[in-house]
Amino acid sequence: MVRLKALRLEPTEKGAEKAGNVLPWAIGVGGGALAGLLVGDRTSALTAAVIASTGMLAFDEFGLETIGATPPSSGYPWQTNFRSVVGHAIYGLVLAAAYSYAAKLADR
């Protein structure tokens, strides 16, 4: 049985599996929404995407461990952590490009 100590939850394995399937989507959509809120006159799309993707990486690597949803990052091979950093960096770049493109379309 999975135990989320910080949240005082004890989901079944099936419930944890369902959450594991939804969680990456929720984090991705939340990161995109955060970047959208940050973009404005004073913040570029790239800056907003860097802030959002860095926050997502920190939550994935440390936040989930803190609430007891995953083992510590040190419990995984370094390749797994490296892949996470690269994946979040790519997400940030694609997010910045998408927001920049959307802004150009909106200015037409």
Side-chain angles (χ1 to χ4, degrees):
M1 184 176 271
V2 177
R3 183 166 162 83
L4 300 170
K5 295 176 189 174
L7 300 178
R8 297 186 179 145
L9 298 174
E10 294 184 22
T12 63
E13 287 296 324
K14 188 174 184 174
E17 185 178 322
K18 285 181 182 179
N21 291 333
V22 172
L23 193 60
W25 286 96
I27 292 170
V29 169
L34 173 64
L37 291 172
L38 293 173
V39 172
D41 294 336
R42 305 179 109 191
T43 308
S44 71
L46 181 60
T47 302
V50 167
I51 292 168
S53 60
T54 301
M56 291 169 53
L57 175 66
F59 182 72
D60 279 352
E61 294 295 320
F62 306 108
L64 291 173
E65 173 189 344
T66 301
I67 64 171
T70 62
S73 294
S74 59
Y76 296 100
W78 70 268
Q79 294 91 338
T80 302
N81 296 312
F82 180 73
R83 187 173 54 234
S84 180
V85 169
V86 170
H88 286 91
I90 291 169
Y91 174 89
L93 291 172
V94 171
L95 185 63
Y99 273 110
S100 294
Y101 181 71
K104 285 180 185 176
L105 288 177
D107 288 339
R108 286 186 183 180

